[in-house]
Amino acid sequence: MKVNIVIRSSKTKRNGKCPICLRISDKTSLKYIYIGIDVRINDFDVQKSIVRRSDPEYANKNKIILHTRQRADNILTDASIRDEKLNLHSFTRLYTSVSGANGNFFTYVSKILENKYQSKLIAHETYRGNKSQLSKLMQFRPKLQFSEVSKELFEQYKEYMIHQRNNKQSTINKSLTIIKEFCHWAKDDQLIKDNPLQDLKREHYIGDRTFLEAHEVDKLLTVLQSGSLTKGYKRSLRSFLFSCFTGLRYQDVKTLNTDDIKNKTIDNKEIQYISKVQHKTGALVEVPLVNRALELLAMGADKNGLLIDALTNQPTNRYMKKIAALGGIDKLLTFHVA
């Protein structure tokens, strides 16, 4: 039996990245187990089976690869000590049972989330949001075994969200999409036969998304420049306005640093712009810095060198609701509005 780490270039995703898998083979069969990371072909060293430094997350991804190798090697070593011959089926069963959590769906998902977060494969906001969705499902069904995971169960959960939690359709769509991903992990680890949410389709609804007019953004600028805000309010409003003038998402604003600011000359005029790999999509984005964005940057970096001293998302949204009232804006402001 042979076990190694490979990149599946034939399974390239829409973002240009390919899944990294544990490849297991014996004399008659072959199987791939996805290990939870994706890499561009040029960023993977096929000979050494490691992620190259050209990938911004190479260190964390290589930790996952190392952990996967050790996990597989331990199974092979234990089998050798017991003088037990493994085939593809028996190896896979032992490998997946390591994280199977004794048949408990919630324990399994919690462990996967914890591993991804500790390895920095998901951001804190993603980790917190997914844990919140898991907790919400547990309120509906405190105990859940893999054998009980079914399409009928999630139909009942949907009714629970509608009638008992009074969730909007957008919230229901988000909840089921995240749980679908949980089920996908379990299916990949052969803990459930099929993903009951595989054919999930988002139900369309007429949204009521909030947006700001230009004069309302000017009102917020006036509030920021008034000097009357305490530190938390000022940090929240500054990051919100910077997003308004650049179009960057929260996580990209929060992690902006000096390496992301570039200069170029156009028509004999030097301009500054942001060049940053987006946290959500993994795609490179370039955004010219308008004067108001430059003024916000000039307010100074934080002690860690981040250019926008942003709070976490939750307190920012809490402050923005109160700032809207200070600016005479009768709208519910969250960072997403920016």
Side-chain angles (χ1 to χ4, degrees):
M1 171 169 287
K2 294 182 179 180
V3 178
N4 53 353
I5 301 291
V6 299
I7 184 170
R8 298 200 70 184
S9 55
S10 62
K11 300 290 184 181
T12 305
K13 301 182 178 181
R14 282 186 293 180
N15 62 5
K17 296 182 180 181
C18 305
I20 304 300
C21 298
L22 182 69
R23 183 181 186 272
I24 314 155
S25 61
D26 56 22
K27 293 181 179 179
T28 60
S29 305
L30 175 65
K31 181 178 179 62
Y32 294 93
I33 297 178
Y34 177 55
I35 67 172
I37 58 177
D38 303 298
V39 177
R40 298 184 187 278
I41 294 177
N42 293 337
D43 292 334
F44 189 74
D45 188 323
V46 178
Q47 298 298 322
K48 296 181 180 179
S49 294
I50 60 172
V51 180
R52 293 192 172 105
R53 289 176 177 267
S54 52
D55 186 305
E57 296 181 328
Y58 79 95
N60 294 320
K61 290 180 179 179
N62 283 332
K63 286 180 182 178
I64 295 293
I65 289 175
L66 178 61
H67 173 73
T68 301
R69 281 176 170 161
Q70 291 175 338
R71 184 169 154 186
D73 288 344
N74 287 341
I75 292 172
L76 294 175
T77 300
D78 290 344
S80 177
I81 292 173
R82 296 193 305 270
D83 198 25
E84 176 185 353
K85 290 184 179 181
L86 295 177
N87 56 27
L88 192 68
H89 175 74
S90 59
F91 178 90
T92 302
R93 177 176 51 78
L94 289 169
Y95 182 86
T96 56
S97 68
V98 174
S99 58
N102 296 320
N104 187 296
F105 181 79
F106 295 135
T107 303
Y108 166 77
V109 173
S110 293
K111 286 184 177 181
I112 295 290
L113 287 174
E114 193 65 34
N115 287 339
K116 285 179 175 288
Y117 179 59
Q118 293 299 330
S119 302
K120 298 184 178 180
L121 290 174
I122 56 175
H124 174 71
E125 295 300 323
T126 302
Y127 172 74
R128 187 172 62 83
N130 285 2
K131 290 285 284 186
S132 176
Q133 291 296 336
L134 193 64
S135 176
K136 179 178 169 181
L137 180 59
M138 290 175 71
Q139 291 172 30
F140 164 70
R141 187 72 169 264
K143 294 182 179 180
L144 182 61
Q145 298 296 110
F146 289 112
S147 59
E148 299 171 311
V149 175
S150 66
K151 187 173 182 178
E152 292 73 25
L153 171 72
F154 295 123
E155 286 293 341
Q156 294 169 14
Y157 183 50
K158 181 179 176 180
E159 292 298 311
Y160 164 79
M161 287 189 283
I162 294 172
H163 299 296
Q164 295 192 40
R165 297 186 69 99
N166 296 317
N167 288 160
K168 294 182 179 180
Q169 188 60 53
S170 58
T171 302
I172 294 170
N173 286 347
K174 180 179 180 180
S175 295
L176 293 178
T177 298
I178 291 174
I179 294 171
K180 177 182 177 180
E181 180 69 8
F182 296 163
C183 293
H184 179 68
W185 299 341
K187 181 178 181 294
D188 278 355
D189 280 344
Q190 297 185 338
L191 297 169
I192 58 176
K193 184 178 180 181
D194 298 300
N195 185 339
L197 294 174
Q198 181 61 45
D199 298 324
L200 172 69
K201 293 182 180 179
R202 288 172 172 259
E203 293 190 20
H204 294 288
Y205 62 97
I206 299 175
D208 54 352
R209 177 164 293 178
T210 303
F211 61 91
L212 291 176
E213 302 283 356
H215 73 275
E216 292 172 322
V217 175
D218 288 337
K219 287 183 177 181
L220 293 177
L221 277 168
T222 300
V223 172
L224 180 66
Q225 295 162 357
S226 68
S228 62
L229 296 179
T230 57
K231 186 176 181 180
Y233 284 89
K234 186 176 181 180
R235 289 171 64 186
S236 299
L237 182 52
R238 181 192 178 202
S239 59
F240 179 91
L241 286 169
F242 189 79
S243 178
C244 287
F245 294 126
T246 61
L248 293 182
R249 297 183 182 90
Y250 166 77
Q251 193 64 26
D252 296 326
V253 170
K254 188 174 186 291
T255 58
L256 191 72
N257 61 60
T258 53
D259 292 337
D260 299 321
I261 307 300
K262 312 292 183 184
N263 295 280
K264 69 167 63 171
T265 302
I266 299 178
D267 296 331
N268 296 319
K269 182 180 179 181
E270 186 171 292
I271 66 167
Q272 286 185 295
Y273 66 99
I274 295 170
S275 180
K276 186 174 180 62
V277 175
Q278 297 178 90
H279 173 80
K280 183 174 182 178
T281 66
L284 178 69
V285 63
E286 294 188 346
V287 182
L289 286 165
V290 299
N291 287 335
R292 283 181 168 175
L294 289 170
E295 290 169 3
L296 292 167
L297 285 179
M299 293 174 68
D302 73 359
K303 61 183 180 181
N304 297 314
L306 298 176
L307 296 181
I308 301 295
D309 188 17
L311 296 173
T312 56
N313 212 346
Q314 191 171 13
T316 295
N317 289 337
R318 187 168 61 247
Y319 282 130
M320 287 308 304
K321 293 172 185 176
K322 297 178 181 179
I323 290 170
L326 292 174
I329 299 172
D330 188 21
K331 293 179 179 178
L332 179 62
L333 295 189
T334 65
F335 200 94
H336 195 64
V337 174

